[in-house]
Amino acid sequence: MAIEIFLDVLFAVTLFLLLWNVNILVFNRGIPNIRTAPAIRKKIISLLKEHEAARADRTQPYIIYDLGSGNGLFARQIAREMPQATVIGVEVSGPSYDWSMMMKKQMKIGNLDYKHADVFTHDIRDASAVVLFFYQLDKLGKKLHEELKPGTLITSNKFRLGDGWQPAQSLKVWTLYPFQKRLFVYYKTSLQYLAFAGALL
Ligand SMILES: C[S@@+](CC[C@H](N)C(=O)[O-])C[C@H]1O[C@@H](n2cnc3c(N)ncnc32)[C@H](O)[C@@H]1O
């Protein structure tokens, strides 16, 4: 009897894990839809607020991208805490995008938008800041070199950006989440911008 219950539970757990992995592969391009830990979200929002307050030209809109926005929770939190900014979540998974749009409408957040798109092809040249909790950071690092303006802030939860990016800060953040303890902070410098422009000539 006990062994039968054990086998039933084992079967249910295996089936759940199988469906979970199929879901990640089919809808999430192999990157699981896990949210950034609350303590890391809080730290990122304080960095965004400082960056927004310190910019020279405050007549221009301050645009924040969450690349791979999942169910859109973090983008919603940023938009509500920074009503002066425009927040755009980019998400490839249809169900996650639909959920995000439904929540945006329900919560009536005017400075928030979601795009159902691939981060590698979506144009982010108007970004003032980019937040990431994403893998494939060599490929994404290249895109950020190509598209971002000097002075753009980038935060990356857990993973280092590739393609030559050097973090300005590598912060330890205490969280209850077992695998989220590190936040990397980058700024696109004018030197990087010129180096990339030179490489194109
Ligand atoms: C770890 S979640 C991050 C969620 C949210 N940004 C946060 O920090 O709480 C990463 C998300 O990236 C999405 N994703 C993976 N590859 C993508 C791509 N090429 N374009 C857009 N979204 C992608 C996945 O579907 C997943 O929802």
Side-chain angles (χ1 to χ4, degrees), residues 134-147:
F134 206 82
Y135 319 147
Q136 303 172 15
L137 290 180
D138 275 331
K139 193 173 167 194
L140 201 58
K142 185 170 185 300
K143 177 183 171 72
L144 300 181
H145 278 308
E146 286 170 9
E147 295 191 8

Side-chain angles (χ1 to χ4, degrees), residues 28-29 31-32 34-36 66 68 70 91-92 117-119 133-134:
N28 301 102
R29 300 272 171 97
I31 302 180
I34 299 170
R35 60 182 54 167
T36 292
D66 180 358
E91 174 56 51
V92 78
D118 185 332
V119 302
F133 183 20
F134 206 82

Side-chain angles (χ1 to χ4, degrees), residues 20-48:
W20 167 252
N21 280 302
V22 169
N23 174 60
I24 291 170
L25 284 175
V26 173
F27 291 112
N28 301 102
R29 300 272 171 97
I31 302 180
N33 183 355
I34 299 170
R35 60 182 54 167
T36 292
I40 296 181
R41 295 205 297 266
K42 192 172 164 203
K43 180 67 200 169
I44 294 171
I45 290 174
S46 80
L47 289 166
L48 290 167

